[in-house]
Amino acid sequence: MLVHLLYFGALRETLGVEQEDIVIPANSKLTDLLALLCDRGGIWETLQDPNRGLRAAIDQEFAELDDVLKDGCEVALFPPVTGG
Amino acid sequence: MLVHLLYFGALRETLGVEQEDIVIPANSKLTDLLALLCDRGGIWETLQDPNRGLRAAIDQEFAELDDVLKDGCEVALFPPVTGG
Amino acid sequence: MTAKPASLISSSLTTKALDPSRRGSKFQQNIDKTHSVGAIYSFVGLVRSIGQQGQPIDVLELEHYPGMTETKLRQIAGYAAQNWQLIGIDVCHRIGPMCPGDVIVHVIVGASHRQKAYEACGYVVEQLKSEIPLWKKEIGNAGASWVTP
Amino acid sequence: MTAKPASLISSSLTTKALDPSRRGSKFQQNIDKTHSVGAIYSFVGLVRSIGQQGQPIDVLELEHYPGMTETKLRQIAGYAAQNWQLIGIDVCHRIGPMCPGDVIVHVIVGASHRQKAYEACGYVVEQLKSEIPLWKKEIGNAGASWVTP
């Protein structure tokens, strides 16, 4: 299935990517998607660094690692937010 | 000794007095002054009605019943405050 | 090294209409000359058209203890400024007669960070209710009655 | 009997300068037509000239997640309005580049009584910090760095 990925803030800068579409196995969870991205190696491995405090949203709602992705969904990955 | 008395709010209206000077024994406490005023009888007895929640200030600082009065001091008597 | 500037502390009473927008704008200009203020909290208290017993109100009359009211306002503003390391605080309380919709009191506090400003503003507003010699009287068709806490 | 009017709830993003005085004045006019508002609390967040590492700042850049930011702002304002029975709430967050002294965010809440307005205002400000997809980048002579929570 197809997933539309967005990156924000320091993560966008570190990875050097703003957005991309990727194909992943059906019924993947957010954690599976992260594992796939980490497999790219190099800077992508920081996605699973627990000290980075990665946050994610699925279809514009904050998401947890166990959340299941749907075909065509929008997944955003970003560092802890700092608004206000 | 001489004490300058002020009344405010509902108490001022109930007693029908805004201010007065009275002579009281040296070393009187606030509670002694109240007892003297109550002795006037009638409406003045409400000064010792605990349900009225009387508050007092001596020389413009909130005061307690046991506080000792000084010659020439200013004593204000009033109901609970309702500012803000 | 420059010395840490003192807080800008002001407190006042007025019988005239209070304009929170104008006061707020002036406050921000005055306290943020070096752009060290990160947070400004403010409180506006307004006269409501319905009184404590549910009766319609035409006029709210605020009686005060001249001298002591000013002193207590100054003490409360000064304590808040010191306790929460405020960069500035401005408290203005209206007295005398006023109408529904009028501003009774305006509190503004500025601090480097939001938490201090929030706590200080809440503190001052609570103190205004319990520690300032002010008494409200509601006047309407049904007559006049003193507000109780 | 008239039905209880719904809260006036508004939330928005802007790339332009925020003017809390003008917004505050409009808010008060809009929500207090029947003089039922007793308390208005407001929060103004400002850009400071000193960054998170103590470095001087020329520009603060606020990145956001288009779509989700607006949705979360609306959810937070709506929740606060309902939970504290607000008569009105207005939240406006600036995005994009701004300078020290500029207003980042302005929150205004109006309620019948002060306690509800105080709690609601504090809640919204805390949520802005932790639940809205916004990221601050500080830019100065020393370079650019992302703010961490």
Side-chain angles (χ1 to χ4, degrees):
Chain A
M1 63 187 193
L2 189 79
V3 165
H4 185 59
L5 269 168
L6 300 171
Y7 304 94
F8 290 103
L11 187 67
R12 173 182 56 71
E13 279 193 353
T14 304
L15 300 178
V17 187
E18 266 187 42
Q19 49 182 297
E20 60 176 318
D21 288 329
I22 66 167
V23 175
I24 58 171
N27 302 317
S28 291
K29 292 180 175 178
L30 180 57
T31 186
D32 303 324
L33 170 64
L34 292 180
L36 270 174
L37 294 171
C38 279
D39 285 347
R40 292 173 175 178
I43 196 71
W44 290 90
E45 289 170 10
T46 60
L47 281 176
Q48 285 186 328
D49 178 353
N51 296 323
R52 289 279 182 135
L54 181 78
R55 287 189 80 177
I58 300 172
D59 287 335
Q60 309 200 350
E61 286 290 339
F62 288 113
E64 303 297 328
L65 288 174
D66 278 344
D67 289 348
V68 177
L69 307 177
K70 289 184 209 153
D71 186 33
C73 72
E74 177 176 292
V75 176
L77 302 176
F78 44 82
V81 303
T82 54
Chain B
M1 64 187 191
L2 189 77
V3 165
H4 185 60
L5 268 168
L6 301 170
Y7 305 93
F8 290 103
L11 188 67
R12 172 182 58 71
E13 279 194 353
T14 304
L15 299 177
V17 187
E18 267 189 39
Q19 49 180 298
E20 60 177 317
D21 288 330
I22 68 167
V23 176
I24 58 170
N27 302 318
S28 291
K29 293 179 176 180
L30 179 56
T31 187
D32 303 325
L33 170 62
L34 292 179
L36 270 174
L37 294 172
C38 279
D39 285 347
R40 292 171 174 181
I43 197 69
W44 291 89
E45 289 170 11
T46 61
L47 282 176
Q48 285 185 327
D49 177 353
N51 296 322
R52 289 281 183 134
L54 182 78
R55 289 190 77 176
I58 299 172
D59 287 333
Q60 308 199 352
E61 287 290 341
F62 288 112
E64 304 296 328
L65 288 173
D66 277 344
D67 289 348
V68 177
L69 306 177
K70 288 184 209 151
D71 187 32
C73 72
E74 178 176 291
V75 176
L77 302 176
F78 44 82
V81 303
T82 54
Chain C
M1 287 285 293
T2 50
K4 193 174 186 303
S7 305
L8 278 167
I9 306 173
S10 70
S11 61
S12 54
L13 290 179
T14 182
T15 55
K16 300 199 188 109
L18 272 166
D19 180 350
S21 294
R22 200 183 50 79
R23 295 186 74 83
S25 166
K26 273 198 174 178
F27 179 83
Q28 191 181 330
Q29 281 167 31
N30 287 340
I31 70 159
D32 200 27
K33 292 195 168 114
T34 59
H35 303 316
S36 58
V37 177
I40 296 175
Y41 264 102
S42 68
F43 171 77
V44 174
L46 296 160
V47 182
R48 301 175 71 219
S49 57
I50 300 296
Q52 202 168 29
Q53 269 84 41
Q55 82 281 24
I57 299 299
D58 296 320
V59 173
L60 182 81
E61 172 104 33
L62 245 154
E63 180 170 332
H64 79 296
Y65 180 173
M68 181 170 172
T69 311
E70 292 89 329
T71 304
K72 296 308 282 182
L73 273 183
R74 197 165 50 239
Q75 287 172 355
I76 290 167
Y79 174 81
Q82 195 194 5
N83 196 54
W84 285 281
Q85 295 95 51
L86 301 181
I87 298 171
I89 178 169
D90 179 46
V91 183
C92 187
H93 210 297
R94 189 163 167 191
I95 50 172
M98 55 199 97
C99 297
D102 282 352
V103 175
I104 308 174
V105 62
H106 189 205
V107 177
I108 328 178
V109 306
S112 57
H113 294 91
R114 69 190 189 284
Q115 197 54 38
K116 285 177 177 172
Y118 184 65
E119 289 176 11
C121 196
Y123 168 83
V124 170
V125 171
E126 291 310 309
Q127 293 294 106
L128 292 176
K129 293 273 169 188
S130 64
E131 300 303 322
I132 310 272
L134 290 163
W135 301 273
K136 284 183 184 139
K137 189 184 199 173
E138 296 173 339
I139 302 159
N141 275 340
S145 60
W146 292 93
V147 172
T148 54
Chain D
M1 285 286 294
T2 52
K4 196 175 184 302
S7 306
L8 279 167
I9 306 172
S10 70
S11 62
S12 53
L13 290 179
T14 183
T15 55
K16 301 200 187 110
L18 272 167
D19 179 350
S21 293
R22 200 183 48 81
R23 294 186 73 82
S25 166
K26 273 198 174 180
F27 180 82
Q28 191 181 329
Q29 280 167 32
N30 286 340
I31 70 159
D32 200 29
K33 292 196 168 114
T34 58
H35 304 317
S36 58
V37 177
I40 295 174
Y41 263 101
S42 68
F43 172 77
V44 174
L46 295 160
V47 181
R48 301 175 70 218
S49 57
I50 302 295
Q52 203 168 29
Q53 269 83 42
Q55 82 281 25
I57 299 298
D58 295 321
V59 171
L60 182 80
E61 173 103 33
L62 245 154
E63 180 170 333
H64 79 297
Y65 181 173
M68 181 171 171
T69 312
E70 293 89 329
T71 303
K72 297 307 282 182
L73 273 182
R74 198 166 49 240
Q75 286 172 355
I76 291 167
Y79 175 81
Q82 193 192 7
N83 195 54
W84 285 281
Q85 295 96 50
L86 300 182
I87 298 171
I89 177 167
D90 179 45
V91 183
C92 188
H93 210 297
R94 190 165 165 188
I95 51 173
M98 54 199 99
C99 297
D102 282 352
V103 174
I104 309 174
V105 61
H106 189 205
V107 177
I108 328 176
V109 306
S112 57
H113 295 92
R114 70 191 189 282
Q115 196 55 39
K116 286 176 176 174
Y118 184 66
E119 289 176 12
C121 197
Y123 168 83
V124 170
V125 172
E126 291 311 308
Q127 293 294 106
L128 292 177
K129 294 271 167 190
S130 63
E131 300 301 324
I132 310 272
L134 290 164
W135 301 273
K136 284 182 184 141
K137 188 183 201 173
E138 296 172 339
I139 302 159
N141 276 341
S145 60
W146 292 94
V147 172
T148 54

Coordinates of all heavy atoms in Angstrom, one line a residue, chain B residues 6-10 12-13 55 57 60-62 74 76 78-84, chain C residues 63-68 72 75 93 128-132 134-137 146-147 149:
Chain B
L6 N -13.7 54.7 61.7 CA -14.4 54.8 60.3 C -15.2 53.5 60.1 O -14.9 52.4 60.5 CB -13.3 54.8 59.2 CG -12.2 55.9 59.3 CD1 -11.1 55.6 58.3 CD2 -12.9 57.2 58.9
Y7 N -16.3 53.7 59.4 CA -17.2 52.6 59.0 C -17.4 52.6 57.5 O -17.6 53.6 56.9 CB -18.6 52.8 59.7 CG -18.5 52.9 61.2 CD1 -18.4 54.2 61.8 CD2 -18.5 51.8 62.1 CE1 -18.4 54.4 63.2 CE2 -18.4 52.0 63.4 CZ -18.3 53.2 64.0 OH -18.3 53.4 65.3
F8 N -17.4 51.4 56.9 CA -17.6 51.3 55.5 C -18.7 50.3 55.1 O -19.0 49.4 55.9 CB -16.2 50.8 54.9 CG -15.2 51.9 54.9 CD1 -14.1 51.8 55.8 CD2 -15.2 53.0 54.0 CE1 -13.2 52.8 55.9 CE2 -14.2 54.0 54.1 CZ -13.2 53.9 55.0
G9 N -19.1 50.4 53.8 CA -20.0 49.5 53.2 C -21.3 49.3 53.9 O -21.9 50.3 54.4
A10 N -21.8 48.1 53.9 CA -23.1 47.8 54.5 C -23.2 48.2 56.0 O -24.2 48.7 56.5 CB -23.5 46.3 54.4
R12 N -21.6 50.8 57.4 CA -21.8 52.2 57.5 C -23.2 52.6 57.3 O -23.8 53.4 58.0 CB -20.9 52.9 56.4 CG -21.2 54.3 56.2 CD -20.3 54.9 55.0 NE -20.6 54.2 53.7 CZ -21.7 54.3 53.0 NH1 -22.7 55.1 53.4 NH2 -21.8 53.7 51.9
E13 N -23.9 51.9 56.4 CA -25.3 52.1 56.1 C -26.2 51.7 57.3 O -27.1 52.4 57.7 CB -25.8 51.4 54.9 CG -25.4 52.2 53.6 CD -26.2 51.7 52.4 OE1 -26.9 50.6 52.5 OE2 -26.1 52.3 51.3
R55 N -14.8 42.7 59.7 CA -13.4 42.8 59.6 C -13.0 44.2 60.1 O -13.8 45.1 60.1 CB -12.9 42.6 58.1 CG -13.1 41.2 57.7 CD -12.4 40.9 56.4 NE -10.9 40.8 56.5 CZ -10.1 40.5 55.4 NH1 -10.6 40.3 54.3 NH2 -8.8 40.5 55.6
A57 N -9.5 47.2 60.5 CA -8.2 47.6 60.2 C -7.7 48.6 61.2 O -8.5 49.4 61.7 CB -8.1 48.2 58.8
Q60 N -4.8 51.3 58.9 CA -4.9 50.9 57.5 C -4.2 49.5 57.3 O -3.8 49.2 56.1 CB -4.3 52.0 56.6 CG -5.0 53.3 56.8 CD -4.9 54.3 55.6 OE1 -4.1 54.0 54.7 NE2 -5.7 55.4 55.7
E61 N -4.0 48.7 58.3 CA -3.6 47.3 58.1 C -4.7 46.5 58.8 O -5.2 46.8 59.8 CB -2.3 47.1 58.8 CG -1.1 47.7 58.1 CD -0.7 47.0 56.8 OE1 -1.2 45.8 56.6 OE2 0.0 47.6 56.0
F62 N -5.0 45.3 58.1 CA -6.0 44.4 58.6 C -5.6 44.0 60.0 O -4.4 43.8 60.3 CB -6.2 43.2 57.7 CG -6.9 43.5 56.4 CD1 -6.2 43.4 55.2 CD2 -8.2 43.9 56.4 CE1 -6.9 43.7 54.0 CE2 -8.9 44.1 55.2 CZ -8.2 44.1 54.0
E74 N -6.2 55.1 64.0 CA -7.4 55.1 63.1 C -7.9 53.6 63.0 O -7.1 52.7 62.7 CB -7.0 55.5 61.7 CG -8.1 55.5 60.7 CD -7.7 56.1 59.3 OE1 -7.4 57.3 59.3 OE2 -7.5 55.3 58.4
A76 N -10.8 51.1 61.4 CA -11.9 51.0 60.5 C -12.6 49.7 60.7 O -12.0 48.7 60.9 CB -11.3 51.1 59.1
F78 N -15.6 47.2 59.0 CA -16.4 47.0 57.8 C -16.7 45.5 57.6 O -16.1 44.6 58.2 CB -15.5 47.5 56.6 CG -14.1 47.1 56.7 CD1 -13.6 45.9 56.2 CD2 -13.1 48.0 57.1 CE1 -12.3 45.6 56.3 CE2 -11.7 47.7 57.2 CZ -11.3 46.5 56.7
P79 N -17.6 45.2 56.6 CA -18.0 43.8 56.3 C -16.9 43.2 55.4 O -16.0 44.0 55.0 CB -19.3 44.0 55.5 CG -19.4 45.4 55.2 CD -18.4 46.2 55.9
P80 N -17.0 41.9 55.2 CA -16.0 41.3 54.3 C -15.9 42.1 53.0 O -16.9 42.5 52.5 CB -16.6 39.9 54.1 CG -17.3 39.6 55.3 CD -17.9 40.9 55.8
V81 N -14.7 42.2 52.5 CA -14.5 43.0 51.2 C -15.0 42.2 50.0 O -15.0 41.0 50.0 CB -13.0 43.4 51.1 CG1 -12.6 44.1 52.3 CG2 -12.1 42.2 50.9
T82 N -15.3 43.0 49.0 CA -15.9 42.3 47.7 C -15.4 43.1 46.5 O -16.1 43.4 45.6 CB -17.4 42.4 47.8 OG1 -17.8 43.7 48.0 CG2 -18.0 41.5 48.8
G83 N -14.1 43.3 46.5 CA -13.5 44.0 45.3 C -13.2 43.0 44.2 O -13.7 41.9 44.2
G84 N -12.4 43.5 43.2 CA -12.0 42.6 42.1 C -13.0 42.5 41.0 O -14.1 42.9 41.1
Chain C
E63 N -17.5 51.2 46.7 CA -17.0 52.0 47.8 C -15.6 51.5 48.2 O -15.3 50.3 48.2 CB -17.9 51.8 49.0 CG -17.5 52.7 50.2 CD -18.6 52.7 51.3 OE1 -19.8 52.6 51.0 OE2 -18.3 52.8 52.5
H64 N -14.7 52.4 48.6 CA -13.4 52.0 49.0 C -12.9 52.8 50.3 O -13.6 53.7 50.7 CB -12.4 52.2 47.9 CG -11.9 53.6 47.7 ND1 -12.8 54.7 47.3 CD2 -10.7 54.2 47.9 CE1 -12.1 55.8 47.3 NE2 -10.8 55.5 47.6
Y65 N -11.9 52.3 50.9 CA -11.3 53.0 52.1 C -10.1 53.8 51.6 O -9.0 53.2 51.3 CB -10.8 51.8 53.0 CG -10.2 52.2 54.3 CD1 -9.9 51.2 55.2 CD2 -9.9 53.5 54.7 CE1 -9.3 51.5 56.5 CE2 -9.3 53.8 55.9 CZ -9.0 52.8 56.8 OH -8.4 53.1 58.0
P66 N -10.3 55.1 51.4 CA -9.2 55.9 50.8 C -7.9 55.8 51.6 O -7.9 55.8 52.9 CB -9.8 57.3 50.9 CG -11.3 57.2 51.0 CD -11.5 55.9 51.8
G67 N -6.9 55.6 51.0 CA -5.6 55.5 51.6 C -5.2 54.0 51.8 O -4.2 53.5 51.2
M68 N -6.0 53.3 52.5 CA -5.7 51.8 52.7 C -5.8 51.1 51.4 O -5.0 50.2 51.1 CB -6.6 51.2 53.7 CG -6.3 49.7 54.0 SD -7.2 49.0 55.4 CE -6.8 47.3 55.2
K72 N -2.8 48.8 50.0 CA -2.9 47.4 49.8 C -2.6 47.0 48.3 O -2.0 46.0 48.0 CB -4.3 46.9 50.2 CG -4.6 47.0 51.7 CD -3.6 46.4 52.6 CE -3.6 44.9 52.7 NZ -2.6 44.4 53.7
Q75 N 1.0 47.0 47.9 CA 1.7 45.9 48.5 C 1.5 44.6 47.7 O 2.5 43.8 47.5 CB 1.1 45.7 49.9 CG 1.5 46.7 50.9 CD 0.7 46.6 52.3 OE1 -0.2 45.8 52.4 NE2 1.1 47.4 53.3
H93 N -7.7 49.6 39.5 CA -9.0 49.3 40.0 C -9.9 50.5 39.9 O -9.5 51.6 40.3 CB -9.0 48.8 41.4 CG -10.0 47.8 41.7 ND1 -11.4 48.1 41.7 CD2 -10.0 46.5 42.1 CE1 -12.1 47.0 42.0 NE2 -11.2 46.0 42.3
L128 N -7.2 40.7 45.1 CA -8.1 41.8 44.8 C -9.5 41.5 45.5 O -10.1 42.4 46.0 CB -8.3 42.0 43.3 CG -7.1 42.6 42.6 CD1 -7.5 42.7 41.1 CD2 -6.7 43.9 43.1
K129 N -9.8 40.2 45.4 CA -11.2 39.8 45.9 C -11.2 39.8 47.4 O -12.3 39.9 48.0 CB -11.5 38.4 45.4 CG -11.7 38.3 43.9 CD -13.1 38.6 43.5 CE -13.3 38.8 42.0 NZ -14.6 39.2 41.7
S130 N -10.1 39.5 48.0 CA -10.1 39.2 49.5 C -9.3 40.2 50.4 O -9.5 40.2 51.6 CB -9.6 37.8 49.7 OG -8.3 37.7 49.4
E131 N -8.4 40.9 49.8 CA -7.5 41.7 50.6 C -7.5 43.2 50.3 O -6.6 43.9 50.8 CB -6.1 41.2 50.5 CG -5.9 39.7 50.9 CD -6.4 39.4 52.3 OE1 -6.1 40.3 53.2 OE2 -7.0 38.4 52.6
I132 N -8.4 43.7 49.5 CA -8.5 45.1 49.3 C -9.8 45.7 49.8 O -10.8 45.1 49.6 CB -8.4 45.4 47.7 CG1 -7.3 44.7 47.0 CG2 -8.4 46.9 47.5 CD1 -6.0 45.4 47.0
L134 N -12.6 47.1 49.5 CA -13.6 47.6 48.5 C -14.9 46.9 48.7 O -14.9 45.7 49.1 CB -13.1 47.2 47.1 CG -11.8 47.9 46.5 CD1 -11.3 47.2 45.3 CD2 -12.2 49.4 46.1
W135 N -16.0 47.6 48.5 CA -17.3 47.0 48.7 C -18.2 47.3 47.6 O -18.4 48.5 47.2 CB -17.9 47.5 50.0 CG -17.0 47.1 51.2 CD1 -17.0 46.0 51.9 CD2 -16.0 47.9 51.7 NE1 -16.0 46.0 52.9 CE2 -15.4 47.2 52.8 CE3 -15.4 49.2 51.4 CZ2 -14.3 47.7 53.5 CZ3 -14.4 49.7 52.2 CH2 -13.8 48.9 53.2
K136 N -18.8 46.3 47.0 CA -19.7 46.5 45.8 C -21.2 46.6 46.3 O -21.6 45.8 47.0 CB -19.6 45.3 44.9 CG -18.3 45.2 44.1 CD -18.4 44.0 43.1 CE -17.1 43.9 42.4 NZ -16.6 42.5 42.3
K137 N -21.9 47.5 45.7 CA -23.3 47.7 45.9 C -24.0 47.6 44.5 O -23.6 48.3 43.6 CB -23.6 49.0 46.6 CG -25.0 49.2 47.0 CD -25.1 50.6 47.6 CE -26.3 50.8 48.5 NZ -26.3 52.1 49.1
W146 N -26.0 45.2 48.9 CA -24.5 45.0 49.0 C -24.2 43.6 48.6 O -24.9 42.7 49.0 CB -24.0 45.3 50.4 CG -24.1 46.7 50.8 CD1 -25.2 47.3 51.4 CD2 -23.2 47.8 50.5 NE1 -25.0 48.7 51.6 CE2 -23.7 49.0 51.0 CE3 -21.9 47.8 49.9 CZ2 -23.1 50.2 50.9 CZ3 -21.3 49.0 49.8 CH2 -21.8 50.2 50.3
V147 N -23.1 43.5 47.9 CA -22.6 42.2 47.5 C -21.9 41.5 48.7 O -21.3 42.1 49.4 CB -21.6 42.3 46.3 CG1 -21.0 41.0 46.0 CG2 -22.3 42.8 45.0
P149 N -19.4 38.1 49.9 CA -18.3 37.3 49.3 C -18.8 35.9 48.9 O -19.7 35.4 49.5 CB -17.3 37.2 50.4 CG -17.6 38.3 51.4 CD -19.1 38.5 51.3

